[in-house]
Amino acid sequence: MTQVRTRFAPSPTGYLHVGGARTALFSWLFARHHGGAFVLRIEDTDLERSTAESVNAILEGMTWLGLEYDEGPFFQTRRFDRYQAVIDELMAKGLAYRCDCPRERLDALREEQMAKRLKPRYDGHCRGREVDPAKPHVIRFRNPDSGSVVVDDIIRGRVVFSNEELDDLVIRRSDGSPTYNLSVVVDDMDMGITHVIRGDDHLNNTPRQVNILRALGKEAPRYAHVPMILGDDGARLSKRHGAVSVIQYRDEGFLPEALLNYLVRLGWSHGDQEIFSLDEMIEYFDLAEVNKAASVFNTEKLRWLNQHYITHGDPARIAHLLSPHLGRLDIDPAQGPDLVEVVKAQQGRAATLVELAAISAFFYRDFEDYDPKAAKKHLRPVAREPLARARAALETLDDWTPEALHALVDGIAADLGVKMGKVAQPLRVAVVGRAASPGIDLTLWLVGREACLRRIDRALAHIDARAGDEG
């Protein structure tokens, strides 16, 4: 059996967007499922728009997602000699020809055809003409005049294209550079690609590429055209819907495994299962089960998945990923409690790492302001005695552990004849600045004695000032 070989072939004209990432994921999973090879190819023949920065962004996005490629990256700009050799072969066989039709003629032809409600297409004017190779010209592929191209698409099913609807496409520009359809065919042929998985916006290119392959005496690969991704308004996903760059999702605090899990479910399913490990994706993924219809991107669903992975992830790994987000808040996690312990205390409380960093900042530095509602409710004059007692007990506590801290708060509540919350909540607002945090024992333990005492003093001063104002 021939080894399955898939490829991801982005154009380096921008970032790696989520649509491209899903295509890469489907290609990667299909190769891994069949024990095949996954090839990365950079299609950079658009010399004006391709940039090194975009190449780096694509590679960075692939690395972050963990989509390792077995071969590549291959760059089309380094294969121009090979493309020219194939063009020469087609010319020698009479399957390609020079065309020097000026832009004015082509524009006029297009307008005339559109006026007659015909499909705009080149009319083969230069097919039998002798064109001076020394003068500016393009080279066109001589498309078959009759017959059809049948594409048995793995996702879309049988699609038939009439050759009469296809024109003689340009395969080499006037500057000597190859066009997309020519270079893609040569690369897929040379690299032994068996399955081409790509967006359905390329479906109309497929019959053209199949015809070029036939002209070269080669068998076409199997094709699978993946439907597009839509925003929640039904329009094609774009920047106006929010983040679309893979790296932007990383910077906004999403985990790669959450994004992969979400992308694999965009148009594919395995029963009612929602959460997939990477191994499960590889085991279950089947192109034949990909939906034909477009998928709608739902950021809230992605946030739900991300929170699941934060909540159930390895605390050490989450801490490693969280660290740079704390750094953006000018917090050095080495100057404070163990970040892994902070993650253990906070897991399940945030949907993104950015949110997790924000709600964990109080462990490492004093907060600026109290939450107004929390302060109004819990930092009242009645809370002064519980806070003062807590401060005195915390200052002399020998065993600074969660267990001892819990017993201390419980003991103060018992002495005062009140429920534990009447002590814990004022203490929490004093130390955290808001009414929500991990258990009071974990909170006090991680914040540390010195910071706890300092913040309680501030809360007592706040209560005294409030009492003075009310008096």
Side-chain angles (χ1 to χ4, degrees), residues 10-23:
S11 297
T13 55
Y15 47 75
L16 175 61
H17 55 80
V18 292
R22 184 185 63 164
T23 300

Side-chain angles (χ1 to χ4, degrees), residues 393-446:
L394 291 170
E395 187 174 24
T396 58
L397 182 66
D398 291 328
D399 184 20
W400 194 271
T401 62
E403 295 77 15
L405 290 164
H406 182 89
L408 182 149
V409 175
D410 196 31
I412 293 172
D415 289 346
L416 293 174
V418 298
K419 292 182 179 180
M420 188 175 179
K422 294 294 184 180
V423 180
Q425 277 303 92
L427 193 53
R428 176 176 280 109
V429 176
V431 173
V432 179
R434 57 181 183 271
S437 80
I440 191 63
D441 47 1
L442 284 176
T443 298
L444 297 174
W445 174 58
L446 290 168

Side-chain angles (χ1 to χ4, degrees), residues 43-271:
E43 298 189 340
D44 55 348
T45 56
D46 187 340
L47 303 178
E48 291 184 1
R49 298 175 59 217
S50 298
T51 66
E53 291 77 14
S54 294
V55 172
N56 291 335
I58 291 168
L59 296 179
E60 185 179 9
M62 296 282 287
T63 299
W64 180 68
L65 289 172
L67 300 179
E68 300 115 342
Y69 36 92
D70 302 299
E71 298 174 24
F74 299 108
F75 293 83
Q76 289 186 330
T77 48
R78 300 174 188 174
R79 289 173 48 78
F80 276 18
D81 289 346
R82 171 60 180 152
Y83 304 141
Q84 185 56 54
V86 172
I87 292 170
D88 291 341
E89 179 183 343
L90 291 171
M91 290 280 288
K93 292 179 178 179
L95 297 173
Y97 60 92
R98 297 184 182 91
C99 170
D100 63 356
C101 288
R103 172 54 55 189
E104 294 77 14
R105 181 184 184 279
L106 297 175
D107 289 343
L109 176 64
R110 179 182 178 84
E111 290 179 11
E112 178 184 346
Q113 291 171 332
M114 292 184 70
K116 295 179 180 178
R117 297 186 177 181
L118 299 174
K119 181 179 179 181
R121 57 196 296 271
Y122 183 64
D123 60 359
H125 175 72
C126 291
R127 272 191 173 193
R129 295 179 61 238
E130 288 293 331
V131 175
D132 186 350
K135 292 182 178 180
H137 65 277
V138 299
I139 293 180
R140 293 181 180 273
F141 172 69
R142 189 182 183 110
N143 195 74
D145 297 317
S146 60
S148 61
V149 177
V150 178
V151 179
D152 289 315
D153 192 278
I154 300 173
I155 295 172
R156 299 176 64 93
R158 188 180 179 88
V159 186
V160 180
F161 300 88
S162 170
N163 280 323
E164 294 179 358
E165 295 294 314
L166 306 175
D167 61 359
D168 293 350
L169 75 156
V170 175
I171 58 174
R172 193 184 75 179
R173 303 180 184 91
S174 58
D175 65 1
S177 62
T179 59
Y180 165 79
N181 280 300
L182 184 282
S183 54
V184 164
V185 164
V186 177
D187 288 344
D188 287 343
M189 179 177 68
D190 289 355
M191 297 174 188
I193 301 302
T194 62
H195 294 78
V196 173
I197 303 163
R198 58 188 179 188
D200 62 4
D201 54 329
H202 286 288
L203 181 59
N204 288 334
N205 289 321
T206 302
R208 305 172 186 275
Q209 294 169 11
V210 170
N211 279 335
I212 296 175
L213 283 164
R214 287 176 177 173
L216 295 169
K218 302 295 183 181
E219 185 177 343
R222 292 293 309 278
Y223 292 95
H225 289 90
V226 182
M228 68 176 66
I229 301 174
L230 305 178
D232 52 15
D233 59 357
R236 185 161 189 161
L237 191 68
S238 64
K239 289 182 180 179
R240 66 188 177 86
H241 294 106
V244 290
S245 159
V246 165
I247 295 303
Q248 190 174 347
Y249 279 102
R250 179 198 66 185
D251 294 344
E252 291 186 1
F254 289 88
L255 304 183
E257 53 267 39
L259 186 55
L260 287 174
N261 194 153
Y262 183 72
L263 290 177
V264 80
R265 288 285 287 108
L266 269 182
W268 174 83
S269 61
H270 182 74

Side-chain angles (χ1 to χ4, degrees), residues 370-380 425 429 433-436 466:
Y370 295 109
D371 174 75
K373 290 183 179 179
K376 183 178 181 179
K377 182 177 181 180
H378 298 292
L379 297 185
R380 297 181 295 158
Q425 277 303 92
V429 176
R434 57 181 183 271
R466 178 176 176 179

Side-chain angles (χ1 to χ4, degrees), residues 306-320:
N306 203 57
Q307 183 157 14
H308 169 86
Y309 279 100
I310 290 175
T311 302
H312 299 283
D314 174 23
R317 181 171 182 274
I318 301 299
H320 174 72

